[in-house]
Amino acid sequence: MYEYTGNIHMHSTFSDGALTIPEIAALGNKQGLNFLIVTDHQTLAGLDQGMEGYYDKTLVLIGMEVNEHSHHYLALNVRTVVPDNESNPQQVINGVNQQQGIGIIAHPFEKGSKFYHNGLTFLWTDWSVQGFQGIEIWNHLSRWRDELTGIFRGLLLILKPSLALHKGPYRETLRLLDGYQVQGKQVFAYGGSDAHGIRFKLPLTSIEIGSYEQGFRSINMHILTDQPLQNNLEHDRQLIYQALAQGNSWVACDYYRNSRGFRFEAQSPRGKWGMGSTISWHRGIDLLVKTPYPARVLMLRNGELWAKSQGTKHRFPVNRPGVYRVEAEYRRGWSWQPWIFSNPIWISE
Ligand SMILES: [Zn+2]
Ligand SMILES: [Zn+2]
């Protein structure tokens, strides 16, 4: 297995981001990211202008973010623009599916901040929709903005944006995702920076909100592939999108501890299976988890806490079917820092 790290939600000068794609790619390179997916609002201009490709060691792929005021939807691996449809987001989902793309419901829950357009939020409210591939459980910028609850706190968050990472994703979003996974639906967890790098000029200085550098060090996607990247756009694009579509991946906050090296798999005398797999129940299945640093590993079964373990190697013998996923946390001061959110393994009847 090969592991690659990337960030899959950000904006460039083709929409409301501050930097061009080559400038963004240079920052991705600096952070050691293997891939970036640029998701400008309502446009695939980067794709049309031939900007997909390797920039030094980082592969830049181009997707888009559909809809403006609500029902934001990330459309990855699409070749033509998916039109907005805020009142009927099912049409947007269908539009991505027609292109065999990967569609992700972006930041479905947000609280907003009275310091940002009087509490403006970009929510997903139509839950009658079907056929989407994922939910963005952790969005750095959205979570950062929601933490702006006061002037003093705002100043702290500008000086130290990582404060917004401490509480992890919203439980509401995770519960929602669990609901789909318990029904056996192949809906996966995704996360990203949503970096815009917007600078506000002040009389003596300027401040940057949602910087790319901070974003690329924070909420990333890690994927596992059975072949290595080959420094070839066509081949590597397919490999990355395939891993993202199959859910052999996890979302992590890499800011304090890089999650590189995390593993979650099922093993029995009959074989080994990775995240995103469905296996039929039989005796002798163990769920194996490895964390690159000592961690508290929570094993969830059907969305409920099922077992806990501490250390770096964790083994959970399975005694019944269910959908299993991992949350890992490490000790930071007096609390446990939310860190890794794996995609699940289904063990069916
Ligand atoms: Zn959005
Ligand atoms: Zn966005």
Side-chain angles (χ1 to χ4, degrees):
M1 276 289 168
Y2 301 87
E3 177 182 343
Y4 298 104
T5 311
N7 205 286
I8 66 163
H9 186 170
M10 71 201 63
H11 300 271
S12 77
T13 46
F14 286 120
S15 63
D16 55 353
L19 298 186
T20 63
I21 289 175
E23 289 167 336
I24 293 171
L27 293 175
N29 239 298
K30 208 168 127 191
Q31 299 301 338
L33 295 184
N34 303 105
F35 62 95
L36 296 174
I37 307 181
V38 178
T39 51
D40 277 310
H41 297 283
Q42 284 104 5
T43 179
L44 286 168
L47 184 70
D48 299 339
Q49 295 184 24
M51 299 182 86
E52 275 197 333
Y54 272 95
Y55 295 71
D56 201 352
K57 292 192 280 298
T58 304
L59 176 62
V60 173
L61 299 174
I62 314 264
M64 62 178 292
E65 187 169 11
V66 192
N67 285 339
E68 196 174 344
H69 305 286
S70 65
H71 297 125
H72 283 196
Y73 196 61
L74 297 177
L76 313 185
N77 200 17
V78 292
R79 310 316 279 170
T80 58
V81 169
V82 178
D84 282 4
N85 196 329
E86 295 191 16
S87 58
N88 188 356
Q90 186 63 55
Q91 292 304 321
V92 176
I93 293 170
N94 296 347
V96 174
N97 290 344
Q98 276 154 18
Q99 298 191 47
Q100 277 98 47
I102 303 170
I104 302 166
I105 291 181
H107 48 75
F109 286 105
E110 300 188 311
K111 292 188 176 152
S113 162
K114 64 177 178 179
F115 298 100
Y116 176 83
H117 293 273
N118 231 342
L120 180 67
T121 50
F122 306 91
L123 300 173
W124 193 286
T125 53
D126 181 354
W127 290 105
S128 69
V129 294
Q130 295 175 38
F132 51 91
Q133 284 72 40
I135 297 179
E136 187 184 49
I137 59 161
W138 206 349
N139 175 307
H140 187 28
L141 182 68
S142 159
R143 205 65 182 79
W144 183 90
R145 194 197 53 222
D146 286 0
E147 290 294 313
L148 290 176
T149 50
I151 302 265
F152 180 68
R153 178 128 182 102
L155 289 173
L156 275 179
L157 280 161
I158 287 165
L159 293 171
K160 203 169 160 19
S162 59
L163 286 176
L165 300 166
H166 291 181
K167 291 182 199 153
Y170 284 121
R171 299 315 305 185
E172 292 94 319
T173 316
L174 292 165
R175 266 200 296 277
L176 194 77
L177 181 64
D178 284 330
Y180 288 100
Q181 292 178 347
V182 168
Q183 291 170 42
K185 296 212 166 100
Q186 299 266 316
V187 177
F188 295 116
Y190 297 90
S193 63
D194 207 354
H196 286 69
I198 299 300
R199 278 203 172 275
F200 290 92
K201 285 206 168 56
L202 297 177
L204 292 171
T205 179
S206 71
I207 54 171
E208 190 179 15
I209 307 281
S211 86
Y212 299 92
E213 267 172 307
Q214 165 77 24
F216 296 169
R217 292 166 69 192
S218 301
I219 313 302
N220 287 321
M221 283 306 296
H222 293 249
I223 58 169
L224 295 174
T225 62
D226 51 12
Q227 291 173 50
L229 294 176
Q230 290 178 359
N231 210 29
N232 170 303
L233 170 61
E234 293 302 322
H235 174 272
D236 296 352
R237 180 206 282 133
Q238 207 196 331
L239 196 68
I240 289 169
Y241 281 136
Q242 195 180 1
L244 285 172
Q246 290 173 345
N248 202 354
S249 60
W250 66 92
V251 180
C253 172
D254 288 326
Y255 188 77
Y256 297 103
R257 301 252 195 297
N258 198 304
S259 67
R260 199 169 291 135
F262 169 77
R263 292 293 181 272
F264 169 37
E265 59 184 22
Q267 200 181 53
S268 86
R270 294 193 203 168
K272 261 187 186 183
W273 300 268
M275 289 170 277
S277 308
T278 302
I279 58 183
S280 53
W281 160 254
H282 54 275
R283 279 186 198 285
I285 301 176
D286 282 338
L287 296 174
L288 304 175
V289 179
K290 253 198 305 193
T291 49
Y293 298 93
R296 176 165 81 168
V297 165
L298 312 176
M299 181 63 72
L300 290 96
R301 177 182 175 273
N302 295 344
E304 308 280 341
L305 180 61
W306 179 66
K308 267 191 215 181
S309 161
Q310 280 191 41
T312 54
K313 285 195 173 159
H314 318 259
R315 182 174 158 270
F316 303 90
V318 182
N319 56 11
R320 53 196 159 144
V323 55
Y324 294 88
R325 69 173 178 87
V326 169
E327 292 185 11
E329 312 167 321
Y330 55 83
R331 200 176 264 296
R332 198 179 50 78
W334 295 102
S335 57
W336 291 96
Q337 168 66 41
W339 182 28
I340 296 170
F341 293 81
S342 81
N343 270 311
I345 296 175
W346 284 271
I347 301 180
S348 64
E349 301 272 356

